[in-house]
Amino acid sequence: MRNSQSLITVSLLFSSVVALISAKISSNRYSKWQTLSGNAPLVVARGGFSGLLPDSSENAYQFAVSTSLLNLISWCDVQLTKDGAGICFPDVRLDIASDIDRFFPNKSRTYIVDGDSKQGWFSVDYTLHDLKNISLKQAIYSRTDGFDKNLLPILEVRKVAEIAKPSSLWLNIQHDSFFSQHNLSMRNFVISVSRSVVVDYISSPEVNFLRSIQARFRRCSTKLILQFLGQDDIEPSINQTYSSLLKNLTFIKTFASGILIPKNYVWPVDHSQYLQPHTSVVLDAHEEGLEVFASGFANDATFAYNYSYDPVAEYISFIDNGNFSVDGVLSDFPNTPSAAIDCFSHMGHKEALEAKLLIISSEGASGDYPGCTDLAYTRAVSSNVDVLDCPVQMTKDGIPICLGSINLMDRTTVDQSSFSNLSTDVPELGTGNGIFTFNLNWSELRRLTPAISNPWSNFTLYRNPKFRNSGKLMSFSDFLALAKYSPSVSGVLISIEHAAYLAGKQGLNVVDVVLKSLNEAGYNDQTIKKVMIQSTDSSVLEKFKEKRNYELVYMVNENIRDVQKSTIMKIKEFAKSVVISKNSVYPADKAFLTSTSDVVPKLQACNLSVYVQLFSNEFASQAWDFFADAYLEINTYVNAIGINGLVTDFPATAAKYRLFMKYWMDIVLKMQDFFTSHNEHLMSW
C-alpha cells in the first residue's frame, strides 16, 4: 500500500515542488555570483533524486529533472560489468543498492578495493545480461523502501543519458584501479561512450586516470574534475594524501578544470558539530582558475547545528555568504539547492512579495533554544514571527508564567535539583509522575535550569546541544512586556489548559489572573497587538467572550478526518478560529500521505480561520512526500490547502518561506499542464 499512498498525492507533490522552483520561469539575475564564471552555481543530482527514489533509477533521474533547475546535471557513478558494459550504480558492490543476492544467492565474494577488503556481489563478476532481471533498491536504510518493489532495472550509461535529458551528464569514475586489476579499462569505456553521448563532466579521485584521458578531452567541452576524499586518505595513483594535494592546486590545474570536495573542506565543523570559520579553499581554487564543487549534501543527514536543521540555510552558506560561492553542489535532494539558488539567494536584491500567512510561535523559537525562555522568545522576534505564544502555567504563589508543560520535568532539569523529592502523580493531568509548576513558588521556579525539547531524539536528531540548558524562564508579565515593545510582533497567543483542575484542586484561577495581567499590561486599551486566547476547553473560551477584541482559538487535541456542520456551528458559539494538527489535513500512514481531508475548507466556509500545527525543520517530522524539505511542506499546506496560519517551533523558516510565497504560487499555475501530461507516467510508479 505504501506506493499507492504516495501516488494519491503525487500531483500535489509536484505542485508543491515546482512551486518552490522559480527557475522554471526566471533566472536569478539580481547580482553577479561569486563563482569562477560569475554565473549561478550548478546543481548536480547524485544518482538522480536519490534521497527519495532508488539511486540511479529511471524514476530518480526523471524526477530530478522535473523538479530542479533547468540546467541540472545528472550524476552517474560508473561501474563496469564482466563484459565491459558501463552501468550507473552507486557502489562497486551491487548488493548495496539492488536485490542481486536474491537471484544469485551464496555468490558473495571478497576483493581488495582501494586497499580495503570488501565483501559482496561485485559488478565485475556479472555480465550485463546477468543483470537484466535485477532491480534497484534504496541503499540507505533510514530512507523509505516504499519504491523498492517497483522493479526498476539497472541502467547502462547510454540509457541514463537519454532518460536524463535535457540535463547535462556527469560521469564519476570512483575505482579505476580496481577495474584495471580485473582487466577492464575504464579509460576505454569513457572514451568510447563519449563518441555517442555528450559527457559534460568526468570526475575521479585518481589523478592518473584523469591524466590518462586528458588528451582525448582537451579539445572538447567535457570538464575533468578531481574528486577529493577524506583529507587523510591516500590518493591511490600518486600515493599522496588529499590534504597535501590540496596544497598544490597549480599541479591539479594541469590536468583538471575543477575539484570536487567534501563540504567540510569549505566549512569545517568541530567535534560537537558546530561550524568553524570557513577555509580559503574556494578562493584559492578560483585564483588558480579551478571550479569548486562541494559534495555531501542531503536533507535527511545531520549537519552543523548552526543551520537549525534547515538545508536551505546550509546551501546559502556555500553559495551566497558574501565572500565566495562554490560553483556547484552535489545533492541527493536536488530540488532544495535549486530553490536555494534561484529563490532564497540574494534576498536583499529581490523585491519582497510577502503574502498573508500568520506565523505563530510554539514556545517561542523552541527549536533553537529551551522553550519559553528569554532566548527562545527573542529569537522568535528576530525571526519575524507574527504572534508570540505563551502557554500559561501557575506557580504555587499564584504567579502566571510561560512554560510549555505544567510538568516541570518536561521543560527543566528540576529532577536533578533539590526539589526532586516533590515528584508525584496527578491523574487528572494525565502526565504521569512529575513535579508541577504549582509545587514551587516563582522565586524557586525561576532559578531552575531550562531544558530544550528534543521530540525527535529517537532519530538521533538533537536540538542545539550547546545551548540545551540556556536562557531564563519568563513570567507572564515579562512575556507581555516583551511582545508589547517588539514592533514586528503583531499579537500574542495565550494558551490555557487545566483551568478546572487548578481552580478546584489548587485554588488558582488562571483565567482571572490572565485577564488581570492583560489589563495591567495595557493590552485592553489598544488595538495594535492582537490578543488570541487558545484552549482545548470550550468553557475556558466562554469566559473570555465578553472581550470582543480577543480572538478565541479552539485547539482540537486529536487528529480528525472530517467535521460535521453541527459541530462547526457549536464551535462558532465560543471561538473565531481553530487549531488542528497536520494529520487532520493530510492523513498519513507509515510516513506517506494517504489522502486530503476537507476539514480546512469546511471550517473556512463557516468563517473560522484555520491554523495548523506543528511545523518543524527536522526531516523526521515530515512525511516522505515532502522530500525532507520544510519549505515544501509549508508550501503544500499554504498553497494547496489555503490554511490561514501555522504554528512552528522554527519561525525563521516559515518567515523565509512567506517572503516569496507569491513567486511560488505563480509557478504552480504555470505548471498545471505539466501535471496533466505526466499523470499517466507518474501513476506507473
Side-chain angles (χ1 to χ4, degrees):
M1 185 65 179
R2 209 172 289 178
N3 288 346
S4 60
Q5 290 167 353
S6 183
L7 293 175
I8 291 174
T9 56
V10 71
S11 293
L12 169 64
L13 299 182
F14 261 59
S15 300
S16 299
V17 174
V18 178
L20 279 168
I21 309 303
S22 58
K24 294 296 184 184
I25 57 170
S26 69
S27 57
N28 198 318
R29 57 186 181 276
Y30 297 96
S31 66
K32 185 176 180 180
W33 292 85
Q34 293 177 294
T35 57
L36 182 63
S37 67
N39 297 323
L42 298 168
V43 175
V44 186
R46 193 185 69 84
F49 209 119
S50 57
L52 178 70
L53 299 158
D55 193 315
S56 305
S57 66
E58 178 177 0
N59 288 348
Y61 284 117
Q62 291 181 334
F63 199 56
V65 170
S66 300
T67 59
S68 307
L69 291 170
L70 291 174
N71 60 348
L72 178 76
I73 303 170
S74 292
W75 167 284
C76 164
D77 282 297
V78 182
Q79 316 297 340
L80 295 180
T81 63
K82 186 176 182 178
D83 50 346
I87 59 173
C88 293
F89 198 86
D91 197 277
V92 70
R93 294 166 294 174
L94 300 178
D95 54 302
I96 295 295
S98 81
D99 61 358
I100 190 170
D101 53 318
R102 291 180 53 245
F103 291 86
F104 298 96
N106 304 317
K107 295 292 185 179
S108 175
R109 306 218 24 205
T110 300
Y111 290 119
I112 301 299
V113 181
D114 296 337
D116 296 325
S117 178
K118 294 187 177 182
Q119 183 177 0
W121 282 254
F122 290 80
S123 64
V124 295
D125 293 323
Y126 302 92
T127 65
L128 187 63
H129 183 268
D130 292 334
L131 303 180
K132 66 177 182 178
N133 294 320
I134 307 303
S135 297
L136 295 166
K137 67 179 183 180
Q138 179 56 255
I140 298 177
Y141 293 126
S142 61
R143 293 175 176 171
T144 177
D145 61 357
F147 301 96
D148 286 0
K149 296 180 180 180
N150 287 2
L151 303 180
L152 300 168
I154 294 175
L155 301 174
E156 288 189 74
V157 172
R158 290 178 175 83
K159 182 66 174 178
V160 169
E162 297 175 9
I163 291 172
K165 289 180 180 179
S167 70
S168 301
L169 182 63
W170 184 312
L171 301 184
N172 181 55
I173 313 303
Q174 197 75 14
H175 303 293
D176 174 59
S177 298
F178 171 76
F179 290 108
S180 295
Q181 294 168 13
H182 292 268
N183 298 316
L184 293 169
S185 175
M186 190 65 79
R187 178 184 183 276
N188 289 346
F189 171 77
V190 168
I191 292 175
S192 174
V193 78
S194 67
R195 295 191 179 106
S196 58
V197 170
V198 176
V199 180
D200 300 276
Y201 295 85
I202 300 173
S203 63
S204 176
E206 300 183 27
V207 170
N208 283 348
F209 172 75
L210 294 177
R211 296 172 75 177
S212 74
I213 63 173
Q214 178 186 11
R216 170 63 179 81
F217 292 100
R218 179 177 290 130
R219 297 183 180 180
C220 65
S221 61
T222 302
K223 295 183 178 181
L224 305 186
I225 308 294
L226 177 63
Q227 180 188 12
F228 281 66
L229 305 181
Q231 297 200 34
D232 295 330
D233 289 337
I234 304 295
E235 195 285 335
S237 64
I238 62 173
N239 199 33
Q240 291 186 31
T241 64
Y242 286 99
S243 60
S244 64
L245 265 175
L246 196 62
K247 298 174 184 177
N248 199 352
L249 295 172
T250 302
F251 166 66
I252 295 173
K253 180 62 177 174
T254 63
F255 61 86
S257 60
I259 57 176
L260 172 65
I261 55 179
K263 61 185 181 181
N264 60 12
Y265 275 54
V266 181
W267 284 101
V269 295
D270 62 20
H271 67 281
S272 300
Q273 286 299 111
Y274 284 89
L275 288 177
Q276 299 295 290
H278 66 76
T279 69
S280 62
V281 61
V282 177
L283 294 174
D284 294 342
H286 284 175
E287 184 70 22
E288 290 290 341
L290 290 167
E291 290 184 305
V292 180
F293 293 85
S295 65
F297 294 94
N299 294 6
D300 58 352
T302 55
F303 37 92
Y305 290 112
N306 308 68
Y307 300 123
S308 298
Y309 290 102
D310 178 2
V312 167
E314 182 182 36
Y315 285 116
I316 293 299
S317 73
F318 282 81
I319 64 174
D320 188 24
N321 58 46
N323 296 306
F324 61 82
S325 172
V326 297
D327 300 278
V329 293
L330 176 63
S331 175
D332 292 11
F333 294 83
N335 67 300
T336 302
S338 294
I341 291 167
D342 209 75
C343 187
F344 292 109
S345 60
H346 299 154
M347 293 182 73
H349 300 275
K350 295 178 180 178
E351 177 188 359
L353 292 177
E354 191 165 325
K356 186 176 181 181
L357 172 69
L358 196 68
I359 301 173
I360 305 169
S361 69
S362 175
E363 304 176 39
S366 57
D368 291 313
Y369 295 103
C372 297
T373 60
D374 56 339
L375 293 179
Y377 283 130
T378 54
R379 177 58 181 268
V381 172
S382 66
S383 299
N384 293 318
V385 73
D386 296 314
V387 177
L388 210 58
D389 76 302
C390 171
V392 175
Q393 314 297 342
M394 297 295 294
T395 66
K396 185 177 181 179
D397 51 347
I399 304 299
I401 65 169
C402 299
L403 199 65
S405 174
I406 196 171
N407 187 349
L408 292 168
M409 295 174 67
D410 293 337
R411 296 294 189 274
T412 73
T413 60
V414 66
D415 55 336
Q416 303 170 27
S417 72
S418 59
F419 302 110
S420 59
N421 62 322
L422 297 179
S423 179
T424 186
D425 183 21
V426 181
E428 296 96 319
L429 300 179
T431 64
N433 281 351
I435 302 170
F436 301 95
T437 58
F438 52 77
N439 294 141
L440 278 68
N441 292 322
W442 174 233
S443 60
E444 299 168 322
L445 198 151
R446 70 191 307 174
R447 295 198 302 268
L448 294 177
T449 301
I452 201 166
S453 175
N454 285 299
W456 304 104
S457 58
N458 56 324
F459 290 86
T460 65
L461 300 176
Y462 297 95
R463 293 176 169 178
N464 204 4
K466 187 181 291 186
F467 297 91
R468 63 181 179 271
N469 298 121
S470 298
K472 298 179 181 179
L473 300 178
M474 292 188 70
S475 67
F476 184 45
S477 60
D478 288 341
F479 164 83
L480 291 175
L482 172 65
K484 184 176 181 179
Y485 296 108
S486 297
S488 62
V489 174
S490 62
V492 293
L493 182 145
I494 300 156
S495 178
I496 300 174
E497 300 297 337
H498 311 299
Y501 170 81
L502 290 171
K505 296 297 181 69
Q506 299 297 329
L508 299 169
N509 195 320
V510 62
V511 172
D512 288 348
V513 169
V514 167
L515 284 167
K516 180 181 178 182
S517 298
L518 284 167
N519 185 55
E520 291 176 348
Y523 278 79
N524 292 339
D525 302 321
Q526 54 83 50
T527 57
I528 297 176
K529 302 287 186 183
K530 176 190 292 189
V531 176
M532 305 169 72
I533 306 295
Q534 174 183 288
S535 182
T536 59
D537 187 346
S538 61
S539 64
V540 169
L541 299 178
E542 290 279 1
K543 296 176 182 179
F544 287 89
K545 284 181 64 175
E546 64 182 51
K547 298 293 182 181
R548 297 184 181 276
N549 59 326
Y550 290 180
E551 180 179 338
L552 305 184
V553 184
Y554 180 59
M555 186 172 76
V556 181
N557 60 353
E558 61 181 343
N559 295 330
I560 56 176
R561 300 296 178 91
D562 195 10
V563 58
Q564 301 299 316
K565 182 69 174 289
S566 59
T567 302
I568 298 176
M569 291 299 102
K570 182 174 290 187
I571 292 174
K572 283 179 62 69
E573 293 176 4
F574 55 82
K576 297 180 181 178
S577 53
V578 178
V579 172
I580 60 176
S581 67
K582 293 190 298 185
N583 278 340
S584 295
V585 181
Y586 289 117
D589 179 47
K590 298 179 181 178
F592 279 106
L593 303 186
T594 58
S595 61
T596 305
S597 80
D598 57 0
V599 171
V600 173
K602 282 185 175 182
L603 291 169
Q604 291 176 333
C606 294
N607 296 318
L608 284 170
S609 296
V610 180
Y611 311 124
V612 176
Q613 67 175 12
L614 177 69
F615 289 85
S616 300
N617 282 3
E618 292 96 339
F619 74 89
S621 70
Q622 302 143 15
W624 286 115
D625 307 64
F626 302 124
F627 315 148
D629 189 321
Y631 298 92
L632 177 54
E633 181 184 41
I634 292 173
N635 190 52
T636 304
Y637 283 83
V638 174
N639 194 25
I641 298 298
I643 63 175
N644 301 100
L646 56 83
V647 183
T648 175
D649 40 13
F650 291 91
T653 300
K656 195 186 301 182
Y657 160 80
R658 182 177 59 182
L659 190 59
F660 295 104
M661 190 171 76
K662 285 185 178 179
Y663 279 117
W664 306 334
M665 293 173 69
D666 289 343
I667 298 161
V668 171
L669 298 176
K670 292 178 178 290
M671 294 301 294
Q672 292 302 319
D673 290 342
F674 176 87
F675 310 147
T676 302
S677 62
H678 283 69
N679 188 59
E680 183 176 349
H681 172 71
L682 292 171
M683 290 303 293
S684 69
W685 288 18

